[in-house]
């Protein structure tokens, strides 16, 4: 036996029904039973279930007749059916069939048939086949064989209010359409869970809802409340959970359950803090405290605004109605700029109508308090709202987090190793691609791995002396044991010495400046500024004006070392960002992002490159492919926000306020004029300027040869002259194109050359230190576009080469 369950959009029912919203379901049920050999198992307002023998009635035939009824009785064409009607086909177990037979003699209640359902396999589709992200394909082909044991939750059914669905055989639930992740509470005792598995399809960014939460198994993980209290920089979340923990027993009672149902939670968090993990922990906490309305898991949805990435509100409503979940985390970032829009308020009202079935967490970026309050006020018009703010972690909290994670592995860290860890963090931040908690976790795992390798190496060295060690007195052994144990459990500088990139330590920063090719005029200008800063003991903000690849980044790094040696800066590190890193994507996000970056760069150099990045859209993604999801009026244009100007103004304000912050703005003369138009105060707070001129053809060749020497390669006979000739003959359409990147071009050419040298060495099995003509010619055959491209300044696997650009 099989079951066909039909779901009807509640808003459509309200629109076509004058008084009784159950009329369409009754019409469909009457026509289906008259025309086909099937019976009504459940008849509600938005949901109707038919049962039939698959040997007598074909699945395709049942769906075909359903479509004909919708078209003939409701004038519902194919596209409308796709938007309004969903269906699910599931196989019934033997137990279900027996239950069904025993219940056929029972009287109906409230005009609806009721029974406990536990399908062995099922799939849910649009009538046309509905893929997760909104694309269409053959629904029967996609869903065939998909396995999930689940009960389909739908909107409150006015005709079946007292039906609470017996949960004695509740299984682990698959959250999301067609098998997103398996999570939530486990099944009750006595039920085998090993057979419940769900195949994950390929996910689509923004349009595939994400599941969260952990399985609750005895002894598996620490209680969620304890894990939350151990979080660093999450005081707001900890305070919320402490209060809920105290009043949880009262909230579980029937008298106060409506207080809990009316409450929503607004998380304003920096992405780098690990927001997904914290939302998942909050779900686990709510489950542990029995504050969730059901045993289902949690699900995250990104809500689209207009044509931005995510689920439009109409599709989000359908998904929520059909999906088994007890908590939804809804990313409403795209709506921050239009939070008072009637469409968003209508969505909130829809959610409020489902409040007895779900708990809601709304999520936005870490924004200014004014914007946060505006969002909270709108949500607060419908729900009572609790705001949780999770700001970016400062350096101290990052270190405490790393130490805590190392303790989980059973290790401590020495002061020397902690210094190396700080330098590695500075390296990770230096290219503007620091991913917060994820980066911290990655570095911690690297440290643990290096410690394990070091410990095993030392144990292997000590093996020959094992017999002699046994002959030693027990007293001597006991005296030595604490030291040995500490060496095994403490991560030292020796263990992780190669965790950071080591620049040439044989010469001073001043000497490195002298050795740089083609920077004589730059050194003269820089020495004047260094002398001024040394006399006043106050750092200066500087403009580095010139084309890309003229040595601006290298000079900035050396300047930081010099200022640290002279006591002008405590750290002297260089933190590199593009202007896009400072800019938010929603109103109110730019200021905290810029302030956070400036805070990280205190007592160091904040190097801002690319002040005018190429940005397609900062509010939404208005691509033509998303036109199908745009159900807003064309005249209702989004307000334009000048995130770029806001970032510049905030940066200038920080330069004026913090005297221990050095900002170097790397830009061309054309970009400098644009900045002056946007923020005329730039000349007041950043009056110092150093000009970087383009390298000559001879200097470009000399830079390439210097890279060869510094990285201990040698050249095949006659190749030196060929290299110099190559740069001398570079066509002007390359060097004068306006896109030529000087030493960056040289560095990319050198990287491609030695890469081919090492590849050939692996094949020929030699030391790989001799660069041949063939290696250079193959690299030089690359296009100018590739050779001018900006590449990350890291070589995470194997080689870290010294370059000049």
């Amino acid at each position: 036996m099989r079951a066909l369950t039909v779901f009807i959009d509640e808003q459509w029912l309200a629109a076509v029904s004058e008084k009784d919203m159950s009329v369409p379901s009754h019409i469909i049920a009457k026509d289906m039973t008259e025309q086909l050999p099937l019976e009504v198992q459940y008849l509600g307002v938005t949901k109707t279930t038919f049962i039939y023998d698959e040997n007598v009635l074909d699945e395709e035939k049942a769906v075909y007749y359903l479509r004909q009824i919708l078209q003939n009785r409701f004038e519902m064409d194919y596209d409308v059916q796709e938007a309004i009607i969903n269906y699910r086909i599931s196989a019934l177990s033997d137990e279900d069939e027996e239950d069904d037979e025993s219940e056929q003699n029972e009287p109906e209640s409230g005009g609806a048939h009721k029974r406990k359902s536990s399908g062995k396999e099922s799939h849910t589709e649009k009538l046309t086949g509905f893929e997760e992200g909104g694309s269409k394909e053959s629904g029967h082909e996609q869903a065939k064989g998909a396995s999930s044991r689940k009960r389909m939750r739908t909107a409150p059914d006015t005709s079946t209010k007292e039906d609470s669905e017996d949960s004695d055989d509740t299984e682990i639930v698959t959250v999301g359409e067609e098998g997103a992740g398996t999570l939530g509470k486990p099944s009750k005792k006595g039920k085998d869970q090993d057979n419940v598995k769900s195949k994950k399809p390929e996910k689509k960014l923004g349009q595939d809802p994400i599941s969260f939460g952990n399985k609750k198994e005895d002894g598996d993980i620490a209680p969620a409340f304890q894990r939350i209290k151990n979080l660093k920089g999450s005081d707001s979340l900890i305070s919320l959970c402490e209060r809920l923990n105290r009043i949880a027993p009262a909230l579980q009672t029937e008298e106060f359950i409506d207080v809990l149902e009316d409450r929503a939670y607004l998380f304003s968090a920096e992405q780098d803090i690990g927001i997904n993990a914290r939302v998942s922990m909050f779900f686990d906490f709510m489950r542990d405290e029995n504050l969730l309305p059901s045993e289902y898991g949690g699900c995250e949805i990104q809500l689209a605004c207009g044509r931005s990435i995510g689920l439009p509100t109409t599709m989000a409503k359908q998904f929520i109605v059909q999906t088994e979940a007890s908590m939804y985390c809804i990313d409403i970032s795209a709506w921050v700029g239009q939070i008072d829009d009637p469409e968003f308020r209508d969505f909130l009202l829809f959610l409020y109508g489902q409040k007895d079935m779900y708990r809601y967490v709304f999520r936005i970026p870490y924004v200014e308090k004014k914007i946060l309050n505006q969002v909270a006020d709108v949500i607060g018009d419908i729900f009572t709202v609790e705001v949780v703010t999770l700001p970016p972690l400062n350096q101290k909290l990052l270190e405490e987090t790393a130490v805590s994670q190392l303790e989980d592995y059973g290790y401590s860290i020495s002061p020397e190793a902690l210094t190396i860890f700080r330098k590695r963090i500075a390296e990770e931040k230096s290219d503007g691609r620091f991913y917060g908690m994820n980066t911290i976790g990655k570095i911690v795992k690297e440290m643990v791995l290096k410690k394990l390798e070091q410990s095993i190496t030392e144990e292997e060295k000590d093996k020959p002396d094992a017999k002699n060690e046994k002959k030693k007195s027990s007293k001597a052994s006991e005296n030595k044991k604490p030291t040995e144990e500490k060496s095994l459990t403490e991560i030292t500088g020796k263990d992780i010495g190669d965790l950071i990139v080591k620049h040439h330590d044989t010469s001073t920063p001043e000497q490195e400046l002298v050795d740089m090719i083609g920077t004589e005029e730059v050194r003269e200008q820089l020495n004047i500024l260094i002398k001024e800063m040394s006399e006043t003991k106050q750092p200066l903000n500087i403009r580095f004006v010139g084309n890309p690849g003229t040595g601006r980044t290298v000079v900035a790094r050396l300047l930081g070392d010099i200022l640290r040696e002279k006591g002008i800066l405590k750290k002297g590190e260089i933190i590199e960002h593009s202007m896009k890193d400072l800019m938010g994507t929603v109103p109110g996000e730019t200021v905290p992002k810029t302030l956070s970056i400036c805070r990280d760069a205190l007592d160091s150099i904040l190097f801002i490159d690319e002040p005018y990045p190429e940005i397609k859209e900062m509010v939404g993604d208005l691509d033509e492919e998303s036109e199908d999801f745009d159900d807003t009026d064309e005249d209702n244009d989004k307000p334009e926000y000048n995130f770029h100007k806001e970032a510049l103004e905030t940066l200038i304000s920080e330069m004026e306020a913090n005297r221990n912050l050095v900002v170097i703005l790397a830009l061309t003369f054309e970009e400098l004029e644009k900045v002056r138009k946007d923020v005329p105060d730039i000349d007041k707070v950043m009056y110092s300027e150093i000009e970087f001129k383009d390298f000559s053809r001879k200097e470009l060749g000399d830079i390439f040869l210097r890279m060869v020497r510094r990285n201990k390669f040698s050249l095949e006979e006659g190749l030196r002259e060929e290299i110099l000739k190559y740069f001398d003959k570079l066509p002007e359409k390359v060097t004068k194109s306006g896109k030529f990147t000087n030493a960056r071009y040289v560095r990319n050419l050198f990287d491609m050359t030695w890469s081919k040298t090492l590849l050939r060495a692996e094949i020929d099995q030699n030391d790989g230190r001799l660069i041949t003509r063939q290696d250079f010619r193959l690299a030089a055959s690359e296009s100018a576009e590739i050779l001018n491209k900006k590449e990350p300044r890291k070589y995470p696997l194997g080689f870290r080469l010294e370059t000049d650009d």
Side-chain angles (χ1 to χ4, degrees), residues 720-732:
R720 181 180 186 278
E721 290 74 19
E722 182 173 333
I723 290 171
L724 294 174
K725 184 177 180 181
Y726 167 84
F727 285 104
D728 187 56
K729 298 295 184 181
L730 268 179
E732 288 195 356

Side-chain angles (χ1 to χ4, degrees), residues 169-231:
D169 57 353
T170 303
E171 305 268 353
I172 295 178
V173 179
T174 299
V175 174
E177 283 188 298
E178 302 184 348
T182 301
L183 46 97
K185 276 196 173 182
S187 64
K188 299 292 179 92
K189 293 182 179 180
K191 198 75 177 175
D192 184 9
Q193 300 174 3
D194 295 336
N195 296 327
V196 185
K197 293 184 180 178
S198 163
K199 184 177 181 182
K200 294 183 179 181
E202 294 183 0
K203 294 182 181 295
K204 295 189 176 182
L205 177 63
Q207 296 184 350
D208 184 20
I210 303 169
S211 58
F212 57 82
N214 293 306
K215 295 179 183 179
K216 184 180 179 182
E217 299 178 1
D218 294 338
D220 183 22
I221 53 176
F225 189 31
Q226 184 60 46
R227 286 183 285 133
I228 289 174
K229 288 195 292 186
N230 292 336
L231 292 174

Side-chain angles (χ1 to χ4, degrees), residues 505-522:
D505 297 326
T506 55
S507 60
T508 63
E510 291 86 352
Q511 185 59 48
E512 284 202 54
L513 270 176
V514 173
D515 292 341
M516 287 186 65
I517 296 170
T519 59
E520 292 80 6
E521 295 183 13
V522 170

Side-chain angles (χ1 to χ4, degrees), residues 216-424:
K216 184 180 179 182
E217 299 178 1
D218 294 338
D220 183 22
I221 53 176
F225 189 31
Q226 184 60 46
R227 286 183 285 133
I228 289 174
K229 288 195 292 186
N230 292 336
L231 292 174
K232 307 296 182 183
S234 302
D235 296 344
S236 181
L237 177 60
I238 294 172
S239 174
L240 167 63
C241 292
E242 287 176 341
R243 286 183 282 111
L244 286 175
N245 176 258
R246 289 197 299 270
I247 63 175
L251 292 176
Q252 296 165 11
T253 63
E254 184 176 352
E255 183 179 1
F256 296 106
I257 189 65
D258 59 334
V259 176
L260 183 63
E261 291 175 350
D262 270 18
R263 201 154 193 80
Y265 306 92
L266 174 61
F267 280 51
S268 175
E270 178 72 25
Q271 180 68 33
D272 294 347
I273 199 173
I275 176 61
N276 293 330
R278 279 154 175 74
V279 170
S280 181
M281 287 184 191
F282 182 64
F283 167 84
D284 293 338
F285 166 79
M286 296 286 284
R287 179 200 58 199
D288 292 348
E289 300 292 337
N290 292 320
L291 297 179
L292 295 178
S294 68
E295 294 187 343
Y296 297 111
C299 190
E300 180 177 351
I301 298 175
Q302 183 175 353
L303 195 65
C305 180
R307 299 172 184 170
S308 64
I309 293 175
L311 289 176
T313 55
T314 52
M315 293 176 61
K317 291 176 183 178
Q318 293 178 15
F319 178 83
I320 290 171
V321 163
Q322 299 169 15
T323 303
E324 297 166 328
S326 58
M327 175 184 285
Y328 281 99
C329 176
I330 306 175
D331 188 339
I332 58 171
S333 300
W335 285 92
V336 172
Q338 301 184 77
I339 199 65
D340 205 25
D341 190 285
E343 182 183 350
F344 182 74
R345 287 184 175 272
D346 176 71
F347 180 72
L348 290 177
L349 289 171
F350 165 80
L351 296 180
Y352 190 78
Q354 323 291 319
K355 65 175 183 174
D356 60 327
M357 295 169 27
Y358 312 112
R359 301 288 176 262
Y360 300 111
V361 172
F362 297 98
R363 169 181 163 184
I364 61 174
Y366 186 68
V367 297
E368 299 177 54
K369 295 300 180 185
K370 177 183 177 181
I371 302 297
L372 178 60
N373 291 338
Q374 291 174 358
V375 176
D377 288 345
V378 172
I379 299 175
D381 289 341
I382 312 298
F383 296 90
T384 56
V385 61
E386 177 88 25
V387 177
V388 176
T389 56
L390 301 171
L393 298 180
N394 57 34
Q395 183 70 23
K396 181 182 178 182
L397 291 175
L398 290 176
E399 292 177 11
E400 291 178 356
T401 300
V403 171
S404 177
Q405 291 184 12
L406 286 172
E407 289 175 351
D408 292 340
Y409 286 105
Y411 289 109
S412 61
I413 185 169
S414 69
E416 181 186 6
L418 190 58
T419 300
I420 294 176
F421 170 79
R422 294 186 184 116
K423 291 181 178 179
R424 175 59 185 274

Side-chain angles (χ1 to χ4, degrees), residues 2-270:
R2 300 181 72 84
L4 168 63
T5 305
V6 181
F7 301 92
I8 308 177
D9 181 74
E10 188 176 12
Q11 289 187 338
W12 179 80
L13 289 172
V16 301
S17 305
E18 295 181 359
K19 295 182 179 180
D20 189 357
M21 290 173 58
S22 66
V23 170
S25 296
H26 283 78
I27 293 175
I28 294 173
K30 181 174 181 297
D31 287 3
M32 289 285 285
T33 53
E34 288 179 353
Q35 300 179 37
L36 297 172
L38 45 73
E39 297 178 1
V40 175
Q41 180 200 36
Y42 178 94
L43 180 59
V45 176
T46 62
K47 170 182 166 183
T48 304
T49 301
F50 305 93
I51 57 174
Y52 62 92
D53 187 343
E54 67 269 29
N55 297 320
V56 177
L57 178 61
D58 183 70
E59 173 184 322
E60 283 75 11
K61 183 177 180 180
V63 174
Y64 171 78
Y65 272 87
L66 173 61
R67 288 178 177 171
Q68 293 299 312
I69 292 170
L70 294 172
Q71 183 173 357
N72 296 333
R73 298 298 297 265
F74 303 102
E75 298 182 354
M76 189 183 295
D77 59 23
Y78 191 84
D79 293 335
V80 176
Q81 291 181 22
E82 177 186 0
I84 294 175
I85 307 295
N86 295 339
Y87 73 89
R88 178 187 68 179
I89 294 179
S90 58
L92 301 180
S93 64
D94 294 338
E95 178 184 349
D96 294 327
E97 295 180 29
E98 293 174 2
D99 291 342
D100 182 60
E101 291 175 2
S102 64
E103 289 178 8
Q104 286 180 355
N105 298 323
E106 294 182 4
E108 298 179 3
S109 175
H113 302 275
K114 307 185 188 72
R115 64 181 299 279
K116 179 175 64 179
S117 174
S118 176
K120 289 297 180 185
E121 64 178 65
S122 66
H123 56 270
T124 303
E125 305 179 12
K126 290 284 186 185
L127 285 174
T128 58
F130 185 70
E131 193 180 15
E132 294 167 41
S135 63
K136 288 175 279 185
E137 62 179 38
S138 176
H140 295 294
E141 290 297 321
Q142 180 182 3
K144 195 172 289 183
S147 173
S148 63
R149 302 182 182 181
K150 59 182 182 179
R151 297 172 295 168
M152 183 63 65
R153 293 186 70 91
T154 184
D157 198 332
T158 56
S159 66
T160 60
K161 195 66 180 178
E162 75 263 18
D163 182 18
S164 60
E165 289 195 284
D166 198 347
S167 59
D168 289 341
D169 57 353
T170 303
E171 305 268 353
I172 295 178
V173 179
T174 299
V175 174
E177 283 188 298
E178 302 184 348
T182 301
L183 46 97
K185 276 196 173 182
S187 64
K188 299 292 179 92
K189 293 182 179 180
K191 198 75 177 175
D192 184 9
Q193 300 174 3
D194 295 336
N195 296 327
V196 185
K197 293 184 180 178
S198 163
K199 184 177 181 182
K200 294 183 179 181
E202 294 183 0
K203 294 182 181 295
K204 295 189 176 182
L205 177 63
Q207 296 184 350
D208 184 20
I210 303 169
S211 58
F212 57 82
N214 293 306
K215 295 179 183 179
K216 184 180 179 182
E217 299 178 1
D218 294 338
D220 183 22
I221 53 176
F225 189 31
Q226 184 60 46
R227 286 183 285 133
I228 289 174
K229 288 195 292 186
N230 292 336
L231 292 174
K232 307 296 182 183
S234 302
D235 296 344
S236 181
L237 177 60
I238 294 172
S239 174
L240 167 63
C241 292
E242 287 176 341
R243 286 183 282 111
L244 286 175
N245 176 258
R246 289 197 299 270
I247 63 175
L251 292 176
Q252 296 165 11
T253 63
E254 184 176 352
E255 183 179 1
F256 296 106
I257 189 65
D258 59 334
V259 176
L260 183 63
E261 291 175 350
D262 270 18
R263 201 154 193 80
Y265 306 92
L266 174 61
F267 280 51
S268 175
E270 178 72 25

